[in-house]
């Protein structure tokens, strides 16, 4: 099974770019923004919006054609919204793979459940050896268009296009170790030599195989030129030719040429849907534009492969004829065997020449002659060593030829080192050192499974390179003197060999500093990638379905140890700052615009990834603390409520006054009951299945007992309020009586008639009235 890659990024104007290629970022599969998108170029951005809209419609229809087979059937209306919770994404993968996948479902799914579902889907894809670069569960949960479209395109390419094209025997010769969705994971240009699988000159084997199938089985018969999955399909003739190749009785190709683009497109899509049962993923207006979307057309055209009648051969007089468009495998095998014979003979000739007598000049000229012969032959025959199998393995003949190449290369290198060491005096020492320096500059750095291991390897190579270059200055002075004299202590040196050494010395001198800077940048780059990967892996252990309180408390402690004890956020700043400084030096030392753009893009992508990760990591603490708080609330309310229910149920048989007194604070227990259910329901949503089941059972029992009790005692819920009203009423009556008595006393008391006495009497009555009103109201 080969590895797959999808790199989702954004251009300067924030439009989606999904690069799905196995080489440099110039494949036609990329959207226009992936090529160039200068700020202010509105036409490019508008086109990207149009293509994004077409992709969204096409991918939605493709998804729904498969979700209709799900039990129960599902449907996507808004792709970017409906995929957020991961439920329909997992359902789609179940239909495509035939496997059952774990899924969190329910009406009250929270973001934590969304991320869990999407994480399960991404983990399933990674299990299929599909490497997802810069696609994270949080991006899908946020509904980011570029990331969602990139993910769905990966699924389409893997489960439909590659699967169908790989099943065509005549097309298998086009397959190689890199999938059509494979790209360099780190988007590096001008990187230090890394051991990678050989990249086919055709970027995107599934795309090329599908295009070749159209060219060989349909278009070629009618003189139709189909060069791509874009403008070549605009007039609808290519679609008509594919339908005709499957069912010739459905299409009159002569009439097709006289129709308009829209008429041809509409008829082709209708025939495919009604007669062949191929879902209509496109509309004429999607294709009849200046630059139709290639991914959408590829998605639609690939469906026709299932209906084509065995395209890899046709019966002719009882014999099977190969499709002429593809190079027969047996011819390649013949060429490989002839190449193996040539290399075996070359190895024997090199060994014989190396052991022959002669002076140093003659031997060096003989060596150069063999090396030129080796390099020319290798350049001519390299395409023959492209893996033919989908698993990336070489055939037996290819493996034998590769071994022969390696042996000849080793013989030539051994001969070269021996010739340089054989030079007289200090020049021989310089020759041996020169080979070590070249090895340090050109040595492959194997990419390890873990980024941290790769960073450590780079660090070791960096230190080794520094050691080799320690003697650079002293060797330079000695060599310059020898080069001027053309001799060592009066002993002449072969001029051609000396000149070659001068060129090599110049290469080492000019490249060493830049190579050190590059290694330093790459070491810090992989340090950061390792850090981000660690953050993601830790996040996955925290964003889970939780257990009981003690396990959540342990999880919180682990979180605090990681984030605070190891200074998680500070460590990122340290690493990123060091990387940024190394990147600035690296870009200044390299004049490549592409390299500078690649570095800038990596820093931008890493910053965006960290922004999402940091937000998620910070939210973990509040989530864990909220879970613990709800466990505390739930445990305390359950314990108190259970004890109170025991007493309350016994109190039902007591006297009315006793019950009235007991249930006087019933409103308090109503609030406790509500708090218990709120906390319990929160925990049911966030805890794992076993804990949730126990909580549901416990709440069911307690709520049942509460319901029976509530029916009998609910009227006591306002007993305190009624008593208070009764008391307030009685206090009012008493106040009124006191006022009436005082007034009556004043009114019946004899009064000596004088102006002063009457005024004091009236004031006294008014005061009593005012006091009464205050007490009443």
């Amino acid at each position: 099974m080969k590895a797959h890659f999808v790199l989702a990024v954004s251009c300067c104007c924030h439009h989606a770019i999904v690069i799905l290629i196995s080489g440099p970022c110039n494949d036609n599969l990329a959207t226009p923004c992936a090529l160039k998108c200068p700020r202010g170029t509105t036409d490019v951005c508008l086109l990207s919006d149009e293509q994004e809209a077409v992709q969204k419609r096409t991918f939605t229809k493709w998804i729904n054609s498969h979700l209709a087979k799900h039990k129960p059937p599902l449907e996507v209306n808004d792709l970017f919204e409906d995929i957020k919770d991961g439920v329909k994404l997992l359902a789609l993968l179940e239909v495509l793979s035939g496997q059952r996948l774990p899924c969190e479902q329910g009406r009250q799914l929270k973001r934590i459940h969304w991320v869990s579902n999407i994480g399960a889907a991404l983990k399933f894809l990674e299990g299929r050896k599909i490497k997802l670069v810069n696609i994270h569960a949080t991006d899908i949960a946020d509904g980011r268009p570029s990331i969602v479209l990139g993910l769905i395109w990966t699924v389409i390419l893997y489960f439909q296009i590659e699967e169908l094209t790989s099943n065509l025997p005549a097309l298998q010769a086009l397959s190689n170790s890199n999938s059509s969705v494979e790209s360099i994971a780190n988007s590096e240009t001008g990187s230090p030599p890394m051991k990678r699988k050989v990249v086919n000159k055709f970027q995107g084997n599934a795309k090329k195989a599908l295009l070749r199938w159209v060219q060989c089985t349909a278009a070629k018969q009618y003189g139709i030129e189909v060069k791509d999955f874009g403008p070549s399909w605009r007039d609808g003739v290519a679609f008509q030719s594919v339908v005709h190749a499957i069912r010739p009785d459905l299409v009159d190709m002569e009439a097709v040429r006289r129709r308009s683009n829209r008429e041809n497109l509409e008829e082709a899509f209708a025939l495919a849907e009604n007669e062949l049962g191929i879902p209509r993923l496109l509309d004429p207006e999607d294709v009849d534009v200046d630059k139709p979307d290639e991914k959408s057309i590829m998605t639609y055209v690939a469906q026709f492969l299932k209906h084509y009648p065995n395209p890899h051969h046709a019966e002719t007089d009882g014999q099977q004829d190969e499709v002429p468009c593809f190079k027969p495998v047996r011819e390649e095998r013949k060429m490989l065997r002839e190449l193996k014979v040539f290399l075996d003979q070359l190895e024997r000739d090199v060994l014989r020449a190396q052991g022959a007598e002669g002076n140093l000049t003659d031997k060096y000229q003989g060596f150069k002659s063999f090396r030129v012969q080796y390099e020319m032959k290798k350049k001519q025959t390299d395409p023959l060593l492209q893996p033919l199998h989908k698993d990336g393995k070489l055939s037996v003949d290819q493996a034998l030829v590769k071994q022969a190449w390696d042996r000849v290369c080793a013989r030539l290198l051994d001969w070269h080192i021996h010739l340089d060491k054989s030079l007289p005096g200090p020049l021989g020492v310089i020759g041996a050192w020169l080979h070590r320096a070249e090895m340090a500059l050109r040595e492959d750095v194997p990419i390890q499974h873990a980024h941290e291991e790769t960073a450590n390897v780079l660090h070791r190579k960096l230190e080794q390179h520094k050691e080799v270059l320690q003697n650079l200055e002293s060797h330079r002075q000695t060599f310059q003197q020898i080069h001027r004299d053309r001799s060592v202590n009066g002993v002449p040196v072969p001029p051609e060999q000396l000149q070659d050494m001068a060129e090599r010395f110049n290469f080492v001198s000019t490249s060493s500093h830049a190579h050190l800077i590059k290694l330093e940048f790459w070491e810090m780059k992989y340090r950061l990638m390792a850090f981000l990967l660690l953050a993601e892996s830790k996040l996955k252990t925290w964003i889970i379905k939780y257990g009981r309180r003690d396990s959540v408390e342990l999880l919180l402690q682990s979180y605090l140890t990681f984030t605070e004890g190891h200074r998680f956020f500070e460590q990122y700043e340290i690493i990123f700052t060091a990387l940024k400084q190394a990147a600035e030096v690296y870009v200044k030392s390299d004049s490549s615009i592409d390299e500078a753009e690649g570095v800038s893009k990596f820093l931008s992508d890493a910053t965006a990834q960290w922004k999402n990760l940091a937000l998620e990591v910070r939210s973990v603490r509040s989530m864990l603390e909220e879970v613990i708080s709800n466990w505390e609330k739930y445990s305390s309310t359950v314990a108190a409520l259970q004890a109170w229910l025991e007493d309350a149920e016994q109190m039902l048989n007591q006297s009315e006054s006793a019950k009235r007194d007991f249930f006087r604070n019933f409103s308090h227990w109503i609030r406790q009951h509500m708090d218990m259910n709120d906390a319990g329901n929160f925990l049911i949503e966030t805890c794992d299945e076993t804990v949730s089941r126990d909580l549901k059972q416990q709440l069911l029992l307690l709520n049942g007992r509460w319901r029976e009790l509530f029916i009998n005692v609910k009227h006591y819920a306002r007993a305190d309020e009624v008593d208070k009203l009764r008391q307030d009423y009685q206090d009012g009556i008493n106040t009124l009586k006191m006022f009436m008595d005082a007034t009556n006393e004043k009114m019946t008391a004899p009064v000596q008639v004088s102006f002063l006495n009457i005024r004091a009497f009236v004031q006294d009555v008014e005061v009593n009235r005012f006091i009464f009103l205050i007490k009443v109201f």
Side-chain angles (χ1 to χ4, degrees), residues 85-250:
D85 62 6
V87 174
K88 292 178 181 177
L89 176 60
L90 285 170
L92 173 65
L93 295 178
E94 285 185 348
V95 172
L96 294 173
S97 67
Q99 297 182 24
R100 184 70 177 171
L101 301 177
C103 180
E104 300 288 346
Q105 299 189 59
R107 295 182 180 178
Q108 297 181 341
L109 288 182
K110 299 181 182 294
R111 180 179 173 82
I112 186 174
H113 307 127
W114 298 5
V115 174
S116 176
N117 282 338
I118 298 167
L122 299 183
K123 184 177 180 181
F124 169 76
L125 292 174
E126 290 172 350
R128 291 289 188 106
K129 306 301 181 185
I130 302 175
K131 180 70 174 177
L132 304 173
V133 180
N134 281 358
I135 291 186
H136 309 287
T138 53
D139 295 326
I140 305 300
D142 291 336
R144 293 181 60 188
S146 61
I147 307 299
V148 172
L149 292 176
L151 175 62
I152 299 302
W153 172 242
T154 305
V155 173
I156 292 172
L157 199 55
Y158 178 79
F159 284 100
Q160 175 170 298
I161 299 176
E162 283 202 341
E163 195 169 279
L164 290 174
T165 55
S166 66
N167 286 334
L168 299 175
L171 300 178
Q172 289 178 356
L174 290 174
S175 302
N176 71 1
S177 62
N178 291 308
S179 163
S180 59
V181 295
E182 183 173 3
S183 68
I184 298 173
N186 306 310
S187 306
E188 66 266 23
T189 306
S191 60
M194 301 290 181
K195 286 185 179 178
R196 295 192 185 96
K197 296 178 181 177
V198 179
V199 178
N200 196 322
K201 63 180 179 179
F202 300 115
Q203 298 174 3
N205 301 307
K207 174 186 174 182
K208 183 170 180 62
L210 186 61
L211 184 61
R212 186 66 67 86
W213 172 76
V214 173
Q215 293 168 339
C216 293
T217 61
K220 188 174 181 181
Q221 301 178 39
Y222 314 109
I224 302 168
E225 188 177 17
V226 180
K227 299 182 295 183
D228 49 48
F229 284 104
S232 296
W233 298 80
R234 180 175 182 176
D235 60 6
V237 177
F239 287 110
Q240 294 276 16
S241 70
V242 173
V243 176
H244 183 275
I246 297 173
R247 285 276 305 276
D249 58 302
L250 296 178

Side-chain angles (χ1 to χ4, degrees), residues 96 165 303 331 341 345 406 467 501 547 553 601 617 689 716 723:
L96 294 173
T165 55
Q303 297 183 114
E331 183 178 338
V341 172
Q345 184 60 48
D406 292 343
E467 291 177 7
M501 289 184 70
E553 288 175 340
K601 180 188 162 308
V617 170
E689 185 178 350
Y716 294 117
D723 288 346

Side-chain angles (χ1 to χ4, degrees), residues 409-467:
C409 181
R411 296 293 183 192
L412 288 172
L413 178 61
D414 178 69
W415 192 4
H416 196 189
I417 294 173
H418 177 73
L419 289 171
D420 284 345
K421 284 183 176 180
S422 300
L423 290 166
L427 191 57
V429 176
I430 292 174
W433 171 87
L434 194 56
H435 278 284
R436 292 196 302 273
E438 289 174 325
M439 186 71 68
L441 284 172
R442 294 171 176 165
E443 187 178 13
D444 290 340
V445 178
I447 302 300
Q448 305 298 317
H449 178 71
H451 295 321
E452 185 68 27
E453 293 178 13
T454 302
N456 292 336
V457 171
L458 285 164
H459 181 75
R460 289 196 297 271
K461 297 297 180 186
L462 181 63
E463 294 302 314
Q464 291 170 6
H465 189 56
K466 288 179 180 178
E467 291 177 7

